[in-house]
């Protein structure tokens, strides 16, 4: 009996061994041990004592407040002339029906404006056009373009994403295609002072990265604004897109419904009370959607154009930090609380629970 049972047990172990050897080992998902995966790397675990907190708030306040004052001062040095002309450039007989005026190609759209310089303006004086209530960030508007077509002549027929301004006639591609290019701003400005014309420099108004990377030097306009419905400005078909800087500036879509885009530069200085005469071609249709058009002449400073927000933000944060620092100092002096022993913190004790 014992011999039989022993033989049976031996046979069972042999069969089990054979089955184990035929079954492939399961792959473990456990990561290879390292101090990084096990979060055993040394880490900075500061203890926020009252001294450290107060010192940090004071330091932020001392640094931020001077920066805010300097930013506000620089912003105040910027001289701006803003002129809204969309309503005033309508003839009196069209004031009640501006769409008839703007859509009629036979009406005279020339408008003359006089701008008074409030303070001395050192050149270059930058010229911007500002549009209000124009949503360039609309999803369908932003998608209606072909970056491949803009970069390379070989992708001329790549207009799948350009609807509804993709092709014309029997499928001939529009270059550049899409709603963004089709709605290119087409108001023009001419400047003069004391009957002397002021030259507007339209070179280097676009980002160099856009000119070199996004717009090809071998891509020329084709079938552009030749449909039944004209959106905006036309393009010179003999000039490549990489040199048409007005288009490049316009194609960098704005994030907000009120935006400014650079039109050009006047390389001249102006004195206070100088009178600048501006001849405007009021062509762009903002009347159909309740938009506004403004002409902006502006100088710049080391922070760019006029922008009070940056200085106010620095002053607000710096002032708040100083206020909190003073508050914590008073609390610490008037009603102090004893600081606990940091040796009882978990990361300051070893595996046995004893202080390191």
């Amino acid at each position: 009996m014992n011999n039989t049972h022993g033989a049976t047990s031996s046979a069972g172990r042999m069969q089990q061994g054979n089955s184990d050897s035929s079954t492939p080992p399961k792959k473990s998902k456990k990561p290879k041990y390292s101090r990084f995966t096990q979060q055993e790397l040394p880490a900075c675990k500061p203890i926020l004592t009252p001294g450290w907190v107060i010192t940090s708030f004071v330091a932020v306040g001392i640094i931020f407040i001077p920066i805010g004052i300097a930013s506000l001062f620089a912003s105040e040095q910027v001289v701006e002339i803003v002129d809204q002309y969309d309503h005033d450039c309508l003839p009196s007989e069209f004031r009640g029906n501006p769409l008839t005026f703007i859509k009629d190609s036979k009406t005279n759209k020339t408008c003359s404006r006089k701008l008074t310089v409030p303070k001395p303006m050192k050149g270059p004086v930058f010229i911007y056009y500002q549009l209000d209530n124009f949503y360039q960030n609309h999803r369908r508007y932003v998608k209606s373009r072909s970056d491949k077509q803009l970069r390379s002549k070989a992708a001329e027929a790549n207009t799948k994403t350009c609807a509804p301004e993709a092709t014309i006639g029997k499928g001939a591609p529009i270059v550049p295609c899409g709603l963004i290019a089709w709605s290119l701003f087409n108001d023009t400005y001419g400047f003069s002072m004391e009957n002397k014309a002021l030259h507007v420099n339209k070179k280097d108004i676009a980002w160099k990265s856009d000119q070199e990377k996004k717009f090809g030097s071998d891509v020329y306009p084709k079938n552009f604004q030749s449909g039944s419905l004209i959106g905006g400005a036309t393009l010179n078909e003999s000039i490549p897109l990489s040199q048409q800087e007005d288009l490049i500036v316009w194609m960098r879509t704005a994030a907000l419904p009120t935006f400014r885009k650079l039109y050009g530069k006047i390389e001249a200085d102006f004195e206070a009370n100088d009178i600048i005469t501006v001849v405007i071609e009021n062509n762009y249709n903002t009347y159909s959607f309740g938009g506004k058009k403004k002409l902006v002449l502006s100088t710049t400073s080391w922070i760019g154009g006029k922008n009070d927000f940056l200085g106010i933000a620095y002053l607000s944060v710096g002032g708040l930090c100083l206020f909190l620092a003073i508050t914590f100092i008073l609390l610490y002096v008037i009603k102090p609380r004893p600081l606990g022993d940091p040796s009882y913190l978990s990361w300051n004790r070893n595996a046995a629970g004893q202080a390191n």
Side-chain angles (χ1 to χ4, degrees):
M1 289 287 291
N2 292 339
N3 292 338
T4 304
H5 183 268
T8 304
S9 300
S10 299
R13 284 194 296 270
M14 290 177 65
Q15 183 178 0
Q16 183 178 1
N18 293 335
S19 63
D20 290 344
S21 61
S22 62
T23 303
K26 292 184 178 180
K27 293 183 178 180
S28 175
K29 295 183 178 180
K30 183 178 179 181
K32 184 179 179 180
Y33 173 81
S34 70
R35 297 186 67 188
F36 176 77
T37 58
Q38 298 301 318
Q39 300 184 18
E40 294 178 357
L41 293 174
C44 179
K45 300 173 181 176
I47 300 172
L48 297 179
T49 61
W52 274 109
V53 172
I54 293 170
T55 303
S56 300
F57 278 124
V58 169
V60 171
I62 290 175
I63 294 172
F64 275 41
I65 289 178
I67 295 177
I69 294 173
S71 300
L72 277 179
F73 180 77
S75 179
E76 288 299 319
Q77 300 304 307
V78 174
V79 183
E80 272 192 359
I81 304 174
V82 181
D83 179 49
Q84 182 178 339
Y85 63 88
D86 51 76
H87 180 73
D88 293 339
C89 282
L90 285 173
S92 57
E93 62 270 24
F94 290 104
R95 293 285 171 88
N97 192 5
L99 286 179
T100 302
F101 165 78
I102 203 70
K103 290 182 178 180
D104 189 352
S105 59
K106 297 180 181 180
T107 56
N108 181 15
K109 296 183 171 58
T110 303
C111 172
S112 182
R113 308 281 289 170
K114 291 190 180 296
L115 308 178
T116 302
V117 179
K119 297 178 182 179
M121 302 178 74
K122 299 296 182 182
V125 176
F126 293 90
I127 308 166
Y128 300 90
Y129 55 89
Q130 177 176 319
L131 297 179
D132 295 0
N133 200 36
F134 192 115
Y135 289 82
Q136 272 199 320
N137 62 345
H138 191 282
R139 180 179 61 85
R140 289 191 64 187
Y141 184 85
V142 171
K143 290 176 65 177
S144 185
R145 63 185 291 165
S146 174
D147 290 319
K148 291 182 180 179
Q149 184 200 65
L150 296 173
R151 281 194 299 264
S152 173
K153 184 178 181 180
E156 182 179 279
N158 193 327
T159 61
K160 294 181 180 179
T161 58
C162 291
E165 292 295 320
T167 58
I168 190 173
K170 297 182 179 180
I174 299 173
V175 183
C177 65
L179 285 175
I180 304 177
W182 173 80
S183 59
L184 176 61
F185 187 77
N186 62 343
D187 282 5
T188 60
Y189 311 113
F191 298 86
S192 63
M193 189 172 66
E194 298 178 352
N195 296 323
K196 294 182 179 179
L198 298 173
H199 174 68
V200 177
N201 181 9
K202 297 181 74 68
K203 293 291 185 181
D204 299 326
I205 63 174
W207 290 19
K208 285 297 181 184
S209 58
D210 286 355
Q211 285 186 271
E212 296 171 359
K213 304 295 183 182
K214 293 186 177 182
F215 294 82
S217 58
D218 61 342
V219 182
Y220 291 82
K222 184 178 180 181
N223 302 321
F224 186 71
Q225 300 288 24
S226 51
S228 58
L229 185 63
I230 304 301
T234 57
L235 297 174
N236 190 333
E237 294 189 356
S238 64
I239 300 177
L241 296 186
S242 61
Q243 296 180 22
Q244 308 224 25
E245 297 194 44
D246 283 327
L247 173 69
I248 298 174
V249 171
W250 179 257
M251 293 290 285
R252 179 168 282 277
T253 54
L256 300 175
T258 297
F259 59 85
R260 294 178 181 179
K261 290 185 181 289
L262 188 59
Y263 180 84
K265 297 175 286 186
I266 299 176
E267 306 287 349
D269 298 338
F270 299 108
E271 300 298 329
N273 300 319
D274 281 348
I275 305 297
I276 303 174
T277 302
V278 187
V279 178
I280 301 172
E281 284 290 332
N282 184 21
N283 299 313
Y284 202 68
N285 182 11
T286 57
Y287 305 101
S288 60
F289 56 87
K292 298 177 182 178
K293 295 188 288 187
K294 297 177 183 178
L295 170 64
V296 181
L297 301 182
S298 176
T299 59
T300 58
S301 66
W302 61 270
I303 62 169
K306 194 174 187 65
N307 182 10
D308 293 339
F309 174 78
L310 188 63
I312 293 173
Y314 270 107
L315 285 176
S316 300
V317 174
L320 179 61
C321 288
L322 283 184
F323 172 77
L324 291 175
I326 294 171
T327 302
F328 290 153
I329 289 172
L330 293 176
L331 288 175
Y332 187 64
V333 171
I334 296 172
K335 196 175 180 180
R337 294 178 60 186
L339 185 65
D341 187 355
S343 64
Y344 286 99
L345 295 171
S346 60
W347 56 83
N348 286 335
R349 306 182 72 82
N350 55 28
Q354 298 176 351
N356 293 324

